Amino acid sequence: MSAVARNVLAFSEDRGLLIQLLGKGNELADSLGGELNVLLVGSNISDPGEPARYGSTKTLVADGPGFEHFSVEAYRAAFLKAVEASEPGIILIGATKRGKELAARVAAALDTGCMTECLSLEVDEEGNLMGERLTYAGSTISTEVSRKTPHIATIPARAFEKPEPSEGVCEIVTLDVSIPDPRVKVVERRDKAKGDTGLEDAPIIVSAGRGFKAKEDLKILEELAGVLGAKVGCSRPISADLGWMEEWIGISGRKVSPKLYFACGISGTIQHAAGIRDSQIIVSINKEESANIHEISDYSIVGDLYAVLPALVKALKEKIG
Ligand SMILES: Cc1cc2nc3c(=O)[nH]c(=O)nc-3n(C[C@H](O)[C@H](O)[C@H](O)COP(=O)(O)OP(=O)(O)OC[C@H]3O[C@@H](n4cnc5c(N)ncnc54)[C@H](O)[C@@H]3O)c2cc1C
């Protein structure tokens, strides 16, 4: 590693998330007086020139059949080669399940730290990387400073805006990686049966909590969803305990960021609130005035959802037609 490492190296196996990292990556590289580099790993990698359109000056490519499926040992080997080639002062990794596993391994190999799930990042006056992350299930924000280079941070989806593309060319460097013999043998791969709920991208979500007494009653929520063109979500007990829906919203479920979120019969525990905090407008319907959900709502309706929802659907139908 050079005495002053000024480059920023970005990686995510999820190309959409990788692009989101590049706007911030460029900003950080400017702060350090270095360049933005990108690592792509895979088999038959498509469009390796794409990161150049988002500011990458050098794209390091590890392409081969050994990278077709994610193996943390193989990806770690590629990563360490990329670090040799880029000499980064900062490493940004998309905080997917795989990205987080890889980040920990890379940090250990480089004998440095790792700040996980950063929602903001900047270079402080001493040239260290400073990041904000949610703690205590999202009820507080902690500010952390990484004091050892290369600084490593993982970044969740939608923490940073996707930058606008521009004309860009970059050097593309093929990495020669020798993949270590795997210590874990994958005996079978099966596609996940669950479909995409579409909740993460939905502009409007109406959500059910334990205030609903029976599965059939969800009809009134589905009617509201129909009128608003919304997706239907729920709190964890509705899915995990009662099995009325496949997936739930919250810290252990889907994290959503709609323009409008209706919480119906949901108490608003921190585990649920952590998954909806990025919603632009939260409307709650809860019969208890003291329910926590009202505290994080922009509009609160204190009332029985069995009376409020049909009235709301009727009013909206009259208004929207
Ligand atoms: C490790 C861990 C992770 C978790 N992760 C998640 C997560 O990701 N997402 C999540 O949602 N939960 C999660 N939970 C569970 C969480 O702690 C709560 O138990 C759960 O969010 C409560 O769901 P609820 O609001 O639907 O039910 P309740 O807390 O039982 O609330 C029901 C609400 O409905 C209201 N109500 C009742 N009847 C009516 C009516 N007729 N009209 C209007 N209002 C009515 C009540 O006043 C009450 O506020 C997690 C828990 C743990 C321990």
Side-chain angles (χ1 to χ4, degrees):
M1 197 83 46
S2 65
V4 186
R6 299 188 185 282
N7 292 337
V8 172
L9 176 63
F11 168 81
S12 178
E13 79 288 359
D14 174 332
R15 187 68 76 92
L17 177 52
L18 172 66
I19 302 298
Q20 289 171 28
L21 307 187
L22 299 190
K24 178 49 75 176
N26 254 313
E27 223 179 278
L28 296 171
D30 285 349
S31 305
L32 292 180
E35 293 185 345
L36 174 65
N37 298 167
V38 163
L39 168 65
L40 298 177
V41 186
S43 176
N44 294 319
I45 293 171
S46 65
D47 198 4
E50 188 184 21
R53 300 197 283 280
Y54 297 93
S56 172
T57 55
K58 183 155 75 175
T59 298
L60 305 148
V61 178
D63 195 335
F67 299 116
E68 186 181 354
H69 297 295
F70 179 81
S71 138
V72 75
E73 288 155 338
Y75 275 54
R76 174 184 171 277
F79 217 114
L80 296 179
K81 276 277 171 192
V83 169
E84 270 173 43
S86 164
E87 301 200 329
I90 294 176
I91 295 173
L92 305 179
I93 299 178
T96 59
K97 233 181 196 174
R98 291 169 173 177
K100 286 189 276 190
E101 187 181 2
L102 185 61
R105 304 274 187 130
V106 171
L110 299 175
D111 190 24
T112 188
C114 177
M115 299 194 295
T116 55
E117 310 246 11
C118 292
L119 298 176
S120 81
L121 284 171
E122 61 182 89
V123 174
D124 74 6
E125 286 152 8
E126 291 166 29
N128 290 323
L129 186 66
M130 189 163 75
E132 285 184 323
R133 41 194 300 272
L134 297 179
T135 42
Y136 300 117
S139 60
T140 58
I141 295 173
S142 72
T143 305
E144 296 182 1
V145 177
S146 163
R147 295 167 59 202
K148 193 159 181 212
T149 55
H151 308 292
I152 302 185
T154 72
I155 297 162
R158 289 182 300 281
F160 301 116
E161 294 278 323
K162 176 182 171 188
E164 286 300 319
S166 58
E167 299 271 313
V169 282
C170 74
E171 191 188 345
I172 296 185
V173 177
T174 304
L175 298 174
D176 182 16
V177 185
S178 69
I179 299 177
D181 283 339
R183 279 182 282 183
V184 174
K185 188 177 161 204
V186 178
V187 287
E188 192 191 347
R189 284 175 207 279
R190 258 182 279 162
D191 285 338
K192 235 178 166 179
K194 285 178 194 164
D196 179 12
T197 57
L199 284 169
E200 269 114 340
D201 299 322
I204 306 178
I205 296 172
V206 296
S207 229
R210 256 195 317 220
F212 281 82
K213 301 294 168 246
K215 188 177 179 189
E216 302 72 63
D217 300 345
L218 293 175
K219 273 196 302 246
I220 49 174
L221 192 67
E222 281 155 11
E223 243 191 289
L224 177 65
V227 179
L228 294 172
K231 290 273 175 196
V232 179
C234 66
S235 65
R236 185 161 102 160
I238 296 293
S239 170
D241 302 343
L242 297 165
W244 295 351
M245 286 189 219
E246 273 200 354
E247 294 196 56
W248 64 89
I249 291 168
I251 193 150
S252 58
R254 300 273 172 181
K255 295 190 185 60
V256 298
S257 50
K259 291 193 174 125
L260 180 58
Y261 185 81
F262 272 85
C264 308
I266 292 178
S267 58
T269 56
I270 53 170
Q271 291 91 357
H272 191 80
I276 63 170
R277 64 174 57 252
D278 291 336
S279 306
Q280 281 175 28
I281 297 174
I282 298 175
V283 180
S284 57
I285 303 170
N286 194 303
K287 66 179 186 183
E288 296 297 338
E289 203 174 336
S290 59
N292 289 338
I293 193 74
H294 297 310
E295 281 176 31
I296 56 161
S297 298
D298 299 278
Y299 299 94
S300 292
I301 302 172
V302 178
D304 186 335
L305 67 87
Y306 286 92
V308 175
L309 279 176
L312 195 59
V313 168
K314 184 167 176 280
L316 282 167
K317 276 185 178 163
E318 281 167 14
K319 191 111 186 134
I320 302 171

